[in-house]
Amino acid sequence: LLALLVPTVAEAQLLWHRDRTKRGLPNLPKYDRKLFHFGFTLGMNMSDFVVGQRDQVTSSDTVFVAESVSQPGFNLGIVSDLRVGRYFNLRFIPGISFVGRKMDYTQLVEDTIPVVTTKPTESVFFDFPLYFKFKSRRLGNFRAYILAGGKFSIDMSSQEKVEDTEEQLLKLKKFDYTYDMGVGADFYLEYFKLGIEAKVSFGLNNMLVDDGTIYSNSIKSLNSKTFLLSFYFE
């Protein structure tokens, strides 16, 4: 039955789309007239740090190089969109993001042998972003846009208050503030709108907890940096 029905349904859908295309009828023609609309988003991220190096490294320091290494993660969110004007929308997209980052520290053993120590950090953020979206004119079932805004994040797995164990930790603060910029495209399908968006996020808050270990003493600041590829279903 499935083998018989699937080709039949697919052919019917194809004929329906061809008919609408011939008549010049777009999908979801009244979609952009709504004051509010909602949806959800799924995304993949690549996150690392912008490392602020100390001006001078004294002879007593055992760490001579500190480098950030980006790691993959993913995001989930709920979309709330307010129509402000014909080409402008205000978007609030609270969600949760799973972010992995790590720092590589190069130390010199016996002043000659370089040894690399990796300190990973994994964060689970509750994100509260607010974006201003500027859209192009709709061309058939396509529309491009740019957006900008800011985000407040709470790291639910922060180890800022954790007492040191035998293994020294790289501690990060619980709260972060970022400014975000991105570009994207909306595709109007038969039953919903699909959005594909690329966005970069830069942290304004120094996330480093200076706890006196060699891993915090060797650097001045850590600011978050994230590239995010998102898919919106609205």
Side-chain angles (χ1 to χ4, degrees):
L1 287 174
L2 286 174
L4 293 172
L5 287 174
V6 170
T8 303
V9 172
E11 184 178 1
Q13 287 280 30
L14 181 60
L15 292 174
W16 184 85
H17 282 293
R18 285 178 178 174
D19 181 62
R20 289 184 65 87
T21 302
K22 288 180 180 179
R23 291 185 292 162
L25 298 177
N27 295 327
L28 306 174
K30 299 181 180 180
Y31 185 92
D32 293 312
R33 301 178 189 176
K34 297 178 181 179
L35 181 61
F36 294 98
H37 67 259
F38 304 92
F40 68 95
T41 177
L42 305 172
M44 300 171 289
N45 66 67
M46 289 293 293
S47 303
D48 62 357
F49 294 111
V50 176
V51 182
Q53 303 287 351
R54 292 197 179 275
D55 297 333
Q56 295 181 344
V57 179
T58 65
S59 59
S60 61
D61 289 331
T62 57
V63 174
F64 286 84
V65 179
E67 297 177 308
S68 176
V69 181
S70 60
Q71 297 289 294
F74 67 95
N75 298 59
L76 304 169
I78 299 173
V79 178
S80 301
D81 186 285
L82 170 65
R83 182 178 184 270
V84 178
R86 183 176 180 181
Y87 300 112
F88 300 93
N89 290 67
L90 189 65
R91 293 166 71 80
F92 178 56
I93 313 175
I96 185 170
S97 58
F98 300 87
V99 175
R101 295 167 288 196
K102 65 180 182 179
M103 291 287 295
D104 284 347
Y105 294 88
T106 302
Q107 302 168 264
L108 294 183
V109 178
E110 298 178 355
D111 295 330
T112 56
I113 304 173
V115 175
V116 177
T117 302
T118 299
K119 289 294 179 181
T121 64
E122 295 187 359
S123 300
V124 179
F125 286 106
F126 283 148
D127 297 322
F128 302 94
L130 187 64
Y131 298 132
F132 193 65
K133 177 179 178 180
F134 174 63
K135 306 175 293 186
S136 70
R137 290 184 60 185
R138 178 171 172 172
L139 301 175
N141 292 317
F142 171 82
R143 189 196 292 269
Y145 66 87
I146 61 174
L147 82 163
K151 178 177 64 183
F152 170 67
S153 300
I154 305 173
D155 186 359
M156 303 307 296
S157 61
S158 172
Q159 296 178 323
E160 181 178 3
K161 303 297 184 181
V162 173
E163 295 294 333
D164 279 334
T165 59
E166 293 182 2
E167 180 185 1
Q168 293 178 322
L169 302 172
L170 176 62
K171 298 181 181 180
L172 302 177
K173 294 178 182 177
K174 189 176 183 68
F175 304 106
D176 196 13
Y177 316 89
T178 69
Y179 66 92
D180 303 354
M181 300 175 291
V183 296
D186 289 328
F187 300 90
Y188 296 80
L189 305 182
E190 182 179 354
Y191 298 112
F192 65 94
K193 185 181 72 174
L194 171 66
I196 302 176
E197 177 185 288
K199 185 166 64 246
V200 289
S201 177
F202 299 97
L204 299 172
N205 188 31
N206 179 11
M207 298 295 290
L208 179 66
V209 176
D210 191 354
D211 57 356
T213 66
I214 60 172
Y215 302 111
S216 61
N217 288 340
S218 58
I219 53 181
K220 181 170 61 176
S221 62
L222 290 176
N223 294 83
S224 59
K225 182 178 67 174
T226 303
F227 172 80
L228 180 64
L229 178 64
S230 300
F231 299 88
Y232 292 88
F233 305 85
E234 305 174 45

